Amino acid sequence: MNKVEKAIELLSAGADVTKLDASVLMDAKLELERQMVELKMMQDRFNNEMEVKKRNFDASVQLFNMKWSLLEEETRRLADESARAEKRKQFFDRVHTYQTEEKHYDNVVNAELFFKGVASPQALRKRYKDLIKIYHPDAECGDKQIVQEINREYANLKHAMVD
């Protein structure tokens, strides 16, 4: 036990301050001041670390919120796309069912139904491209006869719209 620790022990035990050596008291004071400086440095270091961690946490929260909003937006977009695709599928299923029924009876495809509701040359061209993608002989549900009928009807409507 050094002199400073002994002095602190005596003082805490209720010893008279006047009986202690002045140099011991000075040493005790210096030791306490040194410990206070160490504690202050530790406190500053702790505060700096906490500030850095808070900034990192805030950045993580901001990144999470940004990713979450992107995810919500993409989910909405995907749901809209899915609904549009389902509507198109239902339309083409109805057309295909009608064609299948037509084929069953007299093997003639009525391509007028494919272009029903088309009012402009741009809409006609878009509908034609969509139909060719679906019914091309190389496609899964493609048929050469259907494509020929689509081409014939497209040429008739295109000619009628130009005139």
Side-chain angles (χ1 to χ4, degrees):
M1 179 183 300
N2 65 22
K3 290 193 287 184
V4 174
E5 291 172 346
K6 190 171 187 173
I8 292 172
E9 185 180 305
L10 289 173
L11 285 173
S12 62
D16 188 11
V17 176
T18 56
K19 292 183 180 177
L20 294 174
D21 188 9
S23 66
V24 171
L25 290 175
M26 279 304 285
D27 289 345
K29 180 182 175 194
L30 290 173
E31 178 65 21
L32 290 174
E33 286 175 352
R34 185 189 64 74
Q35 288 177 357
M36 280 182 40
V37 168
E38 275 183 33
L39 287 173
K40 178 68 175 150
M41 287 174 39
M42 287 173 55
Q43 181 184 19
D44 290 344
R45 229 182 352 242
F46 176 78
N47 288 338
N48 288 338
E49 288 175 9
M50 292 309 294
E51 188 175 319
V52 167
K53 287 182 179 185
K54 184 182 182 310
R55 280 193 303 249
N56 288 343
F57 177 75
D58 290 344
S60 295
V61 166
Q62 184 179 9
L63 180 64
F64 173 80
N65 289 335
M66 184 175 69
K67 286 180 177 180
W68 186 260
S69 65
L70 282 172
L71 183 62
E72 286 176 333
E73 181 181 323
E74 288 299 313
T75 302
R76 278 192 297 274
R77 189 183 63 73
L78 184 61
D80 292 344
E81 239 177 65
S82 179
R84 282 194 303 271
E86 183 61 30
K87 285 180 183 177
R88 288 185 67 179
K89 180 184 178 294
Q90 288 172 357
F91 168 76
F92 289 120
D93 283 347
R94 282 194 311 268
V95 170
H96 186 68
T97 302
Y98 180 79
Q99 286 178 351
T100 306
E101 290 170 2
E102 278 293 315
K103 277 183 172 181
H104 189 322
Y105 294 111
D106 62 34
N107 264 352
V108 175
V109 176
N110 187 358
E112 291 175 11
L113 287 176
F114 285 126
F115 296 100
K116 188 173 184 177
V118 174
S120 68
Q122 292 85 9
L124 177 68
R125 186 166 188 249
K126 182 173 179 358
R127 179 75 57 86
Y128 173 74
K129 284 184 174 185
D130 291 342
L131 291 170
I132 291 301
K133 284 179 189 174
I134 295 169
Y135 292 106
H136 191 275
D138 292 339
E140 185 177 321
C141 61
D143 186 0
K144 185 177 178 181
Q145 184 181 0
I146 293 173
V147 171
Q148 288 173 348
E149 286 296 320
I150 290 172
N151 285 336
R152 217 173 285 127
E153 186 64 25
Y154 174 70
N156 291 341
L157 288 173
K158 185 177 174 185
H159 183 68
M161 285 187 181
V162 170
D163 292 339

